[in-house]
Amino acid sequence: MASTSPRRRELLGLLGVPFDVCEPSFVEQPTSGLVPREQVAHFALEKARSVAGARPGDIVLGGDTVIESDGRFLGKPRDREDARRMLTSLAGRPHQVHTAVALCHQARSIERVDVATAVVHMKPDGGGIERYLETGEFLGKAGSYSIQGSGADLIEKIEGDYTTVVGFPLSVVAGLLRLAGYPVAQEEVAALYRRTPYPNWSRFAS
């Protein structure tokens, strides 16, 4: 896995597949002219490529998540004030969460990237943003919130896959692994979605 995200490690672990974690060397820099879905796909693929080059015989997964609001790209906040600005702009409105998953196997010339999108409806702010900022959870989170943590209290509902909002849509990951010949049973993935074994998953399960 070409990611240092603990959330992606935890989610991939739910599939029961053995994996190693490698820090990608790719540095995220937004590319002019790309819409958010294109940008997140580019980030995920370049992360996977940066590890696959050193491990050509391995299946390498990369992932990235961005928030889209009114066509604008929202990444991770610089600081608390930036987080407050982002969360205030999202309050009381829906926005889109795009998570891309890329798979590379250099020796077999396999490269594939899929993007999953979920719509998140945020509650109007009634003081919840300031309480959330006190937790410090906003650091390192796209859009400044974490649905798997205290950020769930800011969310009214979601449309789509909960694991997309966390940052690693497991149905997409499993499909890519099957595409590369790794046996992940569709029935086991479906059972995982019924069990919802991750913080706040059952709260937002459709």
Side-chain angles (χ1 to χ4, degrees):
M1 173 181 254
S3 176
T4 57
S5 164
R7 294 164 298 283
R8 293 194 180 106
R9 292 200 300 268
E10 291 164 355
L11 288 172
L12 184 56
L14 293 177
L15 290 179
V17 300
F19 64 95
D20 297 326
V21 174
C22 295
E23 183 173 0
S25 58
F26 174 72
V27 178
E28 297 177 16
Q29 292 290 343
T31 303
S32 177
L34 294 185
V35 299
R37 281 181 62 90
E38 295 170 335
Q39 186 68 78
V40 75
H42 171 69
F43 283 165
L45 184 56
E46 291 302 325
K47 287 178 184 179
R49 282 174 172 169
S50 73
V51 172
R55 304 183 66 159
D58 293 340
I59 294 172
V60 178
L61 292 168
D64 199 76
T65 301
V66 300
I67 305 294
E68 180 179 357
S69 178
D70 296 331
R72 295 180 297 113
F73 166 97
L74 294 182
K76 300 168 185 176
R78 295 184 300 274
D79 50 31
R80 181 168 174 154
E81 186 55 41
D82 195 30
R84 179 183 290 109
R85 179 189 60 78
M86 284 188 191
L87 292 172
T88 300
S89 74
L90 296 175
R93 309 173 60 227
H95 62 269
Q96 294 177 308
V97 178
H98 305 296
T99 295
V101 181
L103 182 146
C104 294
H105 192 295
Q106 193 172 79
R108 294 165 56 197
S109 299
I110 297 175
E111 277 195 353
R112 174 72 178 266
V113 58
D114 287 344
V115 180
T117 298
V119 178
V120 177
H121 297 258
M122 304 293 275
K123 297 176 183 177
D125 182 32
I129 289 176
E130 288 303 319
R131 289 192 296 273
Y132 178 68
L133 291 173
E134 287 295 327
T135 70
E137 282 186 5
F138 61 86
L139 293 169
K141 307 295 191 307
S144 303
Y145 68 89
S146 59
I147 193 172
Q148 72 278 7
S150 301
D153 294 334
L154 303 176
I155 299 169
E156 180 179 341
K157 65 177 181 177
I158 70 170
E159 299 173 60
D161 186 342
Y162 168 84
T163 59
T164 294
V165 185
V166 177
F168 215 48
L170 291 179
S171 59
V172 172
V173 174
L176 288 173
L177 289 173
R178 284 194 293 270
L179 180 70
Y182 194 92
V184 180
Q186 195 164 355
E187 297 79 6
E188 293 179 6
V189 176
L192 183 66
Y193 274 73
R194 289 194 296 272
R195 293 200 310 272
T196 60
Y198 199 76
N200 293 333
W201 192 348
S202 60
R203 183 172 173 180
F204 294 103
S206 54

